[in-house]
Amino acid sequence: MRITRLVTGTVTAGLLGLTPIAIAAPSQAADTWTTTTTAVPSETQMEYGDDFYVSVDIASSDGLSPGGADGTSTLYAMQAGSTTWTAVATADSTYGSFYDVKPAMNTTYKVVYSGYTDTDQSQYGDNYTSSESAPFAVSVARKITYPSSGFVLKGKVKPSYGKKKIVIKASKKQNKGYKPFKTIKTNKAGKYKITLPKRGGTWYWSFAVKGDTRFAPTGFVWKTTVY
């Protein structure tokens, strides 16, 4: 019995003297991934007052895309005649597109991704760099209104087309052979009116509005028939 007690006491004393050793989880340094932003407009030529949308894709060098809420993408615009980029819309999701974009004149756009640092510990706090898309231009033509039929044509050219020219040409063929007929001017409000001659047979009349630094050229073709 005495031997048993001595052994037991010795083992107990040995256990009390042990120092616990913490086992650390394996560590891994955060990675930094570069990103690429691609922006594609639904239209690049449009009429004043119309809108378009921009599809956005953000990819990274790890072969994946930052998560939907990882950082923000911002649409920037630079109007004709300006040298300054202006933010016009921001998406809280990197998967988001920009809808109902309505340029007031010829405008260049780009999309900028803010970048992101992942705070999820399971992802080791990886970093995604910022990036921006290649700029793309959208041309805007002025809007011309006109009637649906008849020889009396009247309407309005907008915006900002007061006291300016509309060049009218005529041809017996729709796609070629146009020759100068008359040049008219709008009034200060951009309105115009003209009565076309009732020439025998079918005639095509080309109405052309000249472009400038802010707007693309535009026009329409009118058809008259006299039997």
Side-chain angles (χ1 to χ4, degrees):
M1 293 297 290
R2 182 176 297 173
I3 294 174
T4 301
R5 288 175 183 170
L6 290 173
V7 172
T8 303
T10 301
V11 172
T12 303
L15 290 175
L16 290 174
L18 290 176
T19 301
I21 300 175
I23 300 176
S27 62
Q28 180 173 336
D31 290 318
T32 297
W33 306 100
T34 58
T35 66
T36 302
T37 299
T38 303
V40 180
S42 61
E43 304 286 342
T44 56
Q45 296 179 331
M46 55 197 313
E47 187 177 76
Y48 177 78
D50 291 343
D51 57 61
F52 70 102
Y53 66 88
V54 183
S55 298
V56 179
D57 178 69
I58 301 173
S60 64
S61 55
D62 63 356
L64 303 172
S65 294
D70 297 349
T72 58
S73 56
T74 302
L75 179 66
Y76 285 84
M78 184 167 60
Q79 293 184 333
S82 174
T83 58
T84 303
W85 290 101
T86 302
V88 295
T90 298
D92 292 330
S93 169
T94 58
Y95 300 146
S97 297
F98 295 95
Y99 294 93
D100 302 323
V101 182
K102 186 179 291 187
M105 63 182 70
N106 296 336
T107 305
T108 301
Y109 293 91
K110 68 178 179 179
V111 174
V112 177
Y113 171 59
S114 66
Y116 177 74
T117 297
D118 196 335
T119 57
D120 184 349
Q121 294 303 310
S122 66
Q123 297 299 318
Y124 313 109
D126 286 355
N127 301 308
Y128 293 89
T129 64
S130 61
S131 60
E132 63 180 59
S133 71
F136 59 88
V138 175
S139 64
V140 180
R142 288 183 170 90
K143 184 178 180 66
I144 308 175
T145 59
Y146 46 84
S148 58
S149 62
F151 287 84
V152 179
L153 271 71
K154 60 182 179 178
K156 184 176 181 178
V157 183
K158 62 179 183 180
S160 306
Y161 207 72
K163 299 292 185 178
K164 295 186 178 181
K165 297 177 181 180
I166 298 177
V167 178
I168 304 172
K169 295 182 179 181
S171 175
K172 291 287 289 181
K173 298 181 179 179
Q174 184 175 356
N175 298 318
K176 61 180 180 179
Y178 285 90
K179 295 182 179 180
F181 169 68
K182 183 178 289 189
T183 296
I184 60 175
K185 274 191 175 183
T186 60
N187 65 14
K188 63 180 181 179
K191 296 181 178 180
Y192 72 92
K193 181 179 179 181
I194 185 173
T195 300
L196 296 176
K198 295 182 179 180
R199 294 180 177 178
T202 297
W203 283 85
Y204 297 92
W205 310 85
S206 168
F207 286 68
V209 170
K210 187 178 180 180
D212 52 37
T213 56
R214 296 183 302 160
F215 294 95
T218 189
F220 65 92
V221 174
W222 191 259
K223 177 183 176 180
T224 61
T225 301
V226 175
Y227 296 105

